Amino acid sequence: MVRLLLPLTHALTYTRWLHLLVGAIVPFVCAMVYPGLSSPSPGDWVLIAVLPVPLVLAVAMVPSARRAEGLQARLMLFPGPLARVRSDEEPGVSAAPSASWSDRARTAVWMVLRLETGLVTALVTGQLMALSLSLAGAAAGDPGFADPLMRVSGGSWGYVLLAPVPVLALVAVAAGAGALMAQAARRLLGPSLKERLSALEERTERLLEGNRIARELHDTLGHALTLAVVQAGAARAAADPEFTDRALETIEETGRAALEDLERVLAGLRETGRPLGSRPALDEAGRLLESARSSGARVDAEVTGPLEKLPGPVSREAYRMLQEALTNVLRHAGPVRVGVRIAVEEAWLRLEVRNPLAEAASAAGVGGGSGLRGIRERATLLGGEARAGQDGSEWLLHVDLPLR
């Protein structure tokens, strides 16, 4: 019994009821013109239901009609802050104008359905309210209530008990009809295929941007922290003031560059509108090589081809790949001999980084940590390929990036 009375306490029941009654305005206005509302016959009611349909279909062809209907449905058919109903679901109703004939057709079906359902709801509301008022009048001793079919035993107390029944039935009808119209709204006013694809593309872009920012922070901060740890350890082991000064200078330069990169990434997240600092490119690879050398690694570099003529995206991503590769070497193998080869060919940029395969490096490499995964993701986004694995007694990272 309590569950049956719950719709009475929900604001949603009454907003949906109002939405249904608003749909009856058009047929009632048309009925005032023809055939009139003075004692209409059943045939007149059929005419009242049919006459407005061509007008509604014409309005549905206007693109903005779908937007108006979608906004009304969102506002009145689905739970809002005033409704005592929790709903974690999205309404699933679009508020965009019609973009195709399919959208117009679905809008037309919705508007006709809303018109006819609203008319029926208005008639049922009128009849049940009139019945409830008649029963209330009989309970008060109104002699005008003399319908033999409604006479009950018990006198006025019987009518007092019956008077609320039509109202409760009306609320139940309104709640059920409102729920059905909400389902119909999702089907007929829901996002079109184009809108769903657009939303999916937008979500994909957000995910890709989040991954890009995560890679930027991982590469920048990971490289800086790794160099700082290696330099500090080497300076303590060397116990040489001159070497310690060089190590501190390298830590300072690397930390400053990392802070600049961090500020650039955070500025993009804040969307301040100011121009972001330029990202380092592969023609600045010398800075990475010198940082690795200052950490004790013996770097043998071979560079062929004009690095400054590389396409911007390829050059910037290749810089990050080289940075991550050198960071992995220092982190897992320490200050060992590192071979770096950068070759700019006619259609490809080829990058190789190799180092002796120590046990720690092997364990780290086989696991395929986030650093190697980030390198592979960068290469894939550019249409290239990154491979990492054991090559004899060495660990080899090989990257091929297309230039066209």
Side-chain angles (χ1 to χ4, degrees), residues 15-35:
T15 60
R16 287 178 172 178
W17 191 358
L18 179 59
H19 186 268
L20 291 169
L21 295 177
V22 168
I25 292 177
V26 173
F28 275 112
V29 169
C30 293
M32 291 179 185
V33 179
Y34 182 83

PDB file of all heavy atoms in Angstrom, residues 15-35:
ATOM      1  N   THR A  15       5.534  16.794 -12.597  1.00  0.00           N
ATOM      2  CA  THR A  15       6.145  17.436 -13.766  1.00  0.00           C
ATOM      3  C   THR A  15       5.833  16.638 -15.034  1.00  0.00           C
ATOM      4  O   THR A  15       5.572  17.223 -16.091  1.00  0.00           O
ATOM      5  CB  THR A  15       7.664  17.567 -13.583  1.00  0.00           C
ATOM      6  OG1 THR A  15       8.254  16.277 -13.405  1.00  0.00           O
ATOM      7  CG2 THR A  15       7.994  18.439 -12.381  1.00  0.00           C
ATOM      8  N   ARG A  16       5.865  15.315 -14.923  1.00  0.00           N
ATOM      9  CA  ARG A  16       5.513  14.494 -16.091  1.00  0.00           C
ATOM     10  C   ARG A  16       4.029  14.635 -16.427  1.00  0.00           C
ATOM     11  O   ARG A  16       3.663  14.691 -17.621  1.00  0.00           O
ATOM     12  CB  ARG A  16       5.853  13.026 -15.814  1.00  0.00           C
ATOM     13  CG  ARG A  16       7.342  12.744 -15.836  1.00  0.00           C
ATOM     14  CD  ARG A  16       7.655  11.289 -15.521  1.00  0.00           C
ATOM     15  NE  ARG A  16       9.071  10.992 -15.731  1.00  0.00           N
ATOM     16  CZ  ARG A  16       9.636   9.813 -15.491  1.00  0.00           C
ATOM     17  NH1 ARG A  16       8.896   8.813 -15.015  1.00  0.00           N
ATOM     18  NH2 ARG A  16      10.930   9.625 -15.714  1.00  0.00           N
ATOM     19  N   TRP A  17       3.197  14.720 -15.423  1.00  0.00           N
ATOM     20  CA  TRP A  17       1.760  14.930 -15.641  1.00  0.00           C
ATOM     21  C   TRP A  17       1.524  16.255 -16.358  1.00  0.00           C
ATOM     22  O   TRP A  17       0.769  16.331 -17.327  1.00  0.00           O
ATOM     23  CB  TRP A  17       1.066  14.915 -14.279  1.00  0.00           C
ATOM     24  CG  TRP A  17      -0.428  14.863 -14.309  1.00  0.00           C
ATOM     25  CD1 TRP A  17      -1.242  14.872 -15.408  1.00  0.00           C
ATOM     26  CD2 TRP A  17      -1.290  14.773 -13.180  1.00  0.00           C
ATOM     27  NE1 TRP A  17      -2.552  14.805 -15.049  1.00  0.00           N
ATOM     28  CE2 TRP A  17      -2.619  14.740 -13.676  1.00  0.00           C
ATOM     29  CE3 TRP A  17      -1.076  14.719 -11.801  1.00  0.00           C
ATOM     30  CZ2 TRP A  17      -3.723  14.666 -12.836  1.00  0.00           C
ATOM     31  CZ3 TRP A  17      -2.175  14.633 -10.961  1.00  0.00           C
ATOM     32  CH2 TRP A  17      -3.487  14.614 -11.480  1.00  0.00           C
ATOM     33  N   LEU A  18       2.211  17.302 -15.897  1.00  0.00           N
ATOM     34  CA  LEU A  18       2.076  18.608 -16.540  1.00  0.00           C
ATOM     35  C   LEU A  18       2.570  18.564 -17.988  1.00  0.00           C
ATOM     36  O   LEU A  18       1.962  19.164 -18.890  1.00  0.00           O
ATOM     37  CB  LEU A  18       2.865  19.658 -15.748  1.00  0.00           C
ATOM     38  CG  LEU A  18       2.849  21.088 -16.298  1.00  0.00           C
ATOM     39  CD1 LEU A  18       1.422  21.613 -16.384  1.00  0.00           C
ATOM     40  CD2 LEU A  18       3.725  21.998 -15.440  1.00  0.00           C
ATOM     41  N   HIS A  19       3.655  17.832 -18.204  1.00  0.00           N
ATOM     42  CA  HIS A  19       4.179  17.701 -19.575  1.00  0.00           C
ATOM     43  C   HIS A  19       3.146  17.044 -20.482  1.00  0.00           C
ATOM     44  O   HIS A  19       2.984  17.437 -21.647  1.00  0.00           O
ATOM     45  CB  HIS A  19       5.463  16.867 -19.540  1.00  0.00           C
ATOM     46  CG  HIS A  19       6.175  16.780 -20.856  1.00  0.00           C
ATOM     47  ND1 HIS A  19       5.941  15.770 -21.760  1.00  0.00           N
ATOM     48  CD2 HIS A  19       7.097  17.591 -21.447  1.00  0.00           C
ATOM     49  CE1 HIS A  19       6.700  15.936 -22.822  1.00  0.00           C
ATOM     50  NE2 HIS A  19       7.405  17.033 -22.663  1.00  0.00           N
ATOM     51  N   LEU A  20       2.439  16.044 -19.978  1.00  0.00           N
ATOM     52  CA  LEU A  20       1.390  15.388 -20.766  1.00  0.00           C
ATOM     53  C   LEU A  20       0.238  16.344 -21.047  1.00  0.00           C
ATOM     54  O   LEU A  20      -0.281  16.401 -22.178  1.00  0.00           O
ATOM     55  CB  LEU A  20       0.877  14.154 -20.016  1.00  0.00           C
ATOM     56  CG  LEU A  20       1.858  12.981 -19.896  1.00  0.00           C
ATOM     57  CD1 LEU A  20       1.323  11.947 -18.914  1.00  0.00           C
ATOM     58  CD2 LEU A  20       2.106  12.338 -21.248  1.00  0.00           C
ATOM     59  N   LEU A  21      -0.187  17.116 -20.036  1.00  0.00           N
ATOM     60  CA  LEU A  21      -1.318  18.033 -20.227  1.00  0.00           C
ATOM     61  C   LEU A  21      -0.987  19.153 -21.197  1.00  0.00           C
ATOM     62  O   LEU A  21      -1.852  19.598 -21.958  1.00  0.00           O
ATOM     63  CB  LEU A  21      -1.749  18.611 -18.874  1.00  0.00           C
ATOM     64  CG  LEU A  21      -2.325  17.608 -17.873  1.00  0.00           C
ATOM     65  CD1 LEU A  21      -2.649  18.301 -16.555  1.00  0.00           C
ATOM     66  CD2 LEU A  21      -3.571  16.935 -18.441  1.00  0.00           C
ATOM     67  N   VAL A  22       0.267  19.612 -21.187  1.00  0.00           N
ATOM     68  CA  VAL A  22       0.661  20.667 -22.140  1.00  0.00           C
ATOM     69  C   VAL A  22       0.494  20.184 -23.573  1.00  0.00           C
ATOM     70  O   VAL A  22       0.149  20.957 -24.475  1.00  0.00           O
ATOM     71  CB  VAL A  22       2.111  21.109 -21.860  1.00  0.00           C
ATOM     72  CG1 VAL A  22       2.645  21.982 -22.990  1.00  0.00           C
ATOM     73  CG2 VAL A  22       2.190  21.865 -20.551  1.00  0.00           C
ATOM     74  N   GLY A  23       0.706  18.886 -23.798  1.00  0.00           N
ATOM     75  CA  GLY A  23       0.545  18.353 -25.151  1.00  0.00           C
ATOM     76  C   GLY A  23      -0.877  18.425 -25.660  1.00  0.00           C
ATOM     77  O   GLY A  23      -1.119  18.307 -26.871  1.00  0.00           O
ATOM     78  N   ALA A  24      -1.862  18.621 -24.755  1.00  0.00           N
ATOM     79  CA  ALA A  24      -3.269  18.688 -25.170  1.00  0.00           C
ATOM     80  C   ALA A  24      -3.699  20.098 -25.555  1.00  0.00           C
ATOM     81  O   ALA A  24      -4.849  20.289 -25.991  1.00  0.00           O
ATOM     82  CB  ALA A  24      -4.158  18.173 -24.044  1.00  0.00           C
ATOM     83  N   ILE A  25      -2.814  21.079 -25.394  1.00  0.00           N
ATOM     84  CA  ILE A  25      -3.208  22.467 -25.685  1.00  0.00           C
ATOM     85  C   ILE A  25      -3.569  22.636 -27.153  1.00  0.00           C
ATOM     86  O   ILE A  25      -4.602  23.242 -27.493  1.00  0.00           O
ATOM     87  CB  ILE A  25      -2.073  23.426 -25.284  1.00  0.00           C
ATOM     88  CG1 ILE A  25      -1.924  23.444 -23.764  1.00  0.00           C
ATOM     89  CG2 ILE A  25      -2.355  24.829 -25.814  1.00  0.00           C
ATOM     90  CD1 ILE A  25      -0.785  24.312 -23.271  1.00  0.00           C
ATOM     91  N   VAL A  26      -2.733  22.103 -28.039  1.00  0.00           N
ATOM     92  CA  VAL A  26      -2.958  22.297 -29.477  1.00  0.00           C
ATOM     93  C   VAL A  26      -4.298  21.702 -29.925  1.00  0.00           C
ATOM     94  O   VAL A  26      -5.090  22.399 -30.598  1.00  0.00           O
ATOM     95  CB  VAL A  26      -1.781  21.715 -30.286  1.00  0.00           C
ATOM     96  CG1 VAL A  26      -2.083  21.754 -31.790  1.00  0.00           C
ATOM     97  CG2 VAL A  26      -0.508  22.489 -29.989  1.00  0.00           C
ATOM     98  N   PRO A  27      -4.622  20.441 -29.621  1.00  0.00           N
ATOM     99  CA  PRO A  27      -5.930  19.930 -30.075  1.00  0.00           C
ATOM    100  C   PRO A  27      -7.110  20.682 -29.473  1.00  0.00           C
ATOM    101  O   PRO A  27      -8.127  20.878 -30.152  1.00  0.00           O
ATOM    102  CB  PRO A  27      -5.920  18.464 -29.634  1.00  0.00           C
ATOM    103  CG  PRO A  27      -4.841  18.340 -28.631  1.00  0.00           C
ATOM    104  CD  PRO A  27      -3.827  19.370 -28.986  1.00  0.00           C
ATOM    105  N   PHE A  28      -7.021  21.129 -28.222  1.00  0.00           N
ATOM    106  CA  PHE A  28      -8.125  21.875 -27.629  1.00  0.00           C
ATOM    107  C   PHE A  28      -8.291  23.247 -28.284  1.00  0.00           C
ATOM    108  O   PHE A  28      -9.411  23.707 -28.491  1.00  0.00           O
ATOM    109  CB  PHE A  28      -7.927  22.020 -26.117  1.00  0.00           C
ATOM    110  CG  PHE A  28      -8.429  20.845 -25.335  1.00  0.00           C
ATOM    111  CD1 PHE A  28      -7.565  19.990 -24.666  1.00  0.00           C
ATOM    112  CD2 PHE A  28      -9.785  20.566 -25.269  1.00  0.00           C
ATOM    113  CE1 PHE A  28      -8.021  18.904 -23.953  1.00  0.00           C
ATOM    114  CE2 PHE A  28     -10.270  19.470 -24.551  1.00  0.00           C
ATOM    115  CZ  PHE A  28      -9.380  18.635 -23.896  1.00  0.00           C
ATOM    116  N   VAL A  29      -7.182  23.896 -28.616  1.00  0.00           N
ATOM    117  CA  VAL A  29      -7.285  25.187 -29.317  1.00  0.00           C
ATOM    118  C   VAL A  29      -7.914  24.993 -30.691  1.00  0.00           C
ATOM    119  O   VAL A  29      -8.786  25.773 -31.118  1.00  0.00           O
ATOM    120  CB  VAL A  29      -5.888  25.832 -29.431  1.00  0.00           C
ATOM    121  CG1 VAL A  29      -5.933  27.032 -30.374  1.00  0.00           C
ATOM    122  CG2 VAL A  29      -5.382  26.255 -28.063  1.00  0.00           C
ATOM    123  N   CYS A  30      -7.482  23.957 -31.404  1.00  0.00           N
ATOM    124  CA  CYS A  30      -8.081  23.675 -32.716  1.00  0.00           C
ATOM    125  C   CYS A  30      -9.564  23.325 -32.577  1.00  0.00           C
ATOM    126  O   CYS A  30     -10.389  23.701 -33.423  1.00  0.00           O
ATOM    127  CB  CYS A  30      -7.333  22.527 -33.399  1.00  0.00           C
ATOM    128  SG  CYS A  30      -5.632  22.924 -33.879  1.00  0.00           S
ATOM    129  N   ALA A  31      -9.929  22.613 -31.499  1.00  0.00           N
ATOM    130  CA  ALA A  31     -11.332  22.221 -31.295  1.00  0.00           C
ATOM    131  C   ALA A  31     -12.224  23.424 -31.049  1.00  0.00           C
ATOM    132  O   ALA A  31     -13.425  23.395 -31.370  1.00  0.00           O
ATOM    133  CB  ALA A  31     -11.419  21.238 -30.131  1.00  0.00           C
ATOM    134  N   MET A  32     -11.648  24.492 -30.484  1.00  0.00           N
ATOM    135  CA  MET A  32     -12.444  25.710 -30.278  1.00  0.00           C
ATOM    136  C   MET A  32     -12.866  26.327 -31.608  1.00  0.00           C
ATOM    137  O   MET A  32     -13.900  26.997 -31.708  1.00  0.00           O
ATOM    138  CB  MET A  32     -11.638  26.720 -29.460  1.00  0.00           C
ATOM    139  CG  MET A  32     -11.412  26.300 -28.022  1.00  0.00           C
ATOM    140  SD  MET A  32     -10.429  27.513 -27.116  1.00  0.00           S
ATOM    141  CE  MET A  32     -10.234  26.666 -25.543  1.00  0.00           C
ATOM    142  N   VAL A  33     -12.040  26.111 -32.629  1.00  0.00           N
ATOM    143  CA  VAL A  33     -12.386  26.624 -33.967  1.00  0.00           C
ATOM    144  C   VAL A  33     -13.346  25.673 -34.670  1.00  0.00           C
ATOM    145  O   VAL A  33     -14.376  26.077 -35.229  1.00  0.00           O
ATOM    146  CB  VAL A  33     -11.104  26.824 -34.801  1.00  0.00           C
ATOM    147  CG1 VAL A  33     -11.454  27.329 -36.208  1.00  0.00           C
ATOM    148  CG2 VAL A  33     -10.149  27.781 -34.102  1.00  0.00           C
ATOM    149  N   TYR A  34     -13.015  24.399 -34.643  1.00  0.00           N
ATOM    150  CA  TYR A  34     -13.869  23.375 -35.257  1.00  0.00           C
ATOM    151  C   TYR A  34     -13.494  22.026 -34.668  1.00  0.00           C
ATOM    152  O   TYR A  34     -12.300  21.744 -34.483  1.00  0.00           O
ATOM    153  CB  TYR A  34     -13.679  23.359 -36.777  1.00  0.00           C
ATOM    154  CG  TYR A  34     -14.569  22.362 -37.472  1.00  0.00           C
ATOM    155  CD1 TYR A  34     -15.885  22.704 -37.777  1.00  0.00           C
ATOM    156  CD2 TYR A  34     -14.101  21.093 -37.802  1.00  0.00           C
ATOM    157  CE1 TYR A  34     -16.709  21.790 -38.413  1.00  0.00           C
ATOM    158  CE2 TYR A  34     -14.931  20.174 -38.433  1.00  0.00           C
ATOM    159  CZ  TYR A  34     -16.234  20.523 -38.732  1.00  0.00           C
ATOM    160  OH  TYR A  34     -17.069  19.623 -39.355  1.00  0.00           O
ATOM    161  N   PRO A  35     -14.423  21.204 -34.285  1.00  0.00           N
ATOM    162  CA  PRO A  35     -15.896  21.310 -34.397  1.00  0.00           C
ATOM    163  C   PRO A  35     -16.561  21.952 -33.188  1.00  0.00           C
ATOM    164  O   PRO A  35     -17.775  21.922 -33.068  1.00  0.00           O
ATOM    165  CB  PRO A  35     -16.317  19.850 -34.529  1.00  0.00           C
ATOM    166  CG  PRO A  35     -15.304  19.120 -33.689  1.00  0.00           C
ATOM    167  CD  PRO A  35     -14.021  19.860 -33.823  1.00  0.00           C
TER     168      PRO A  35
END
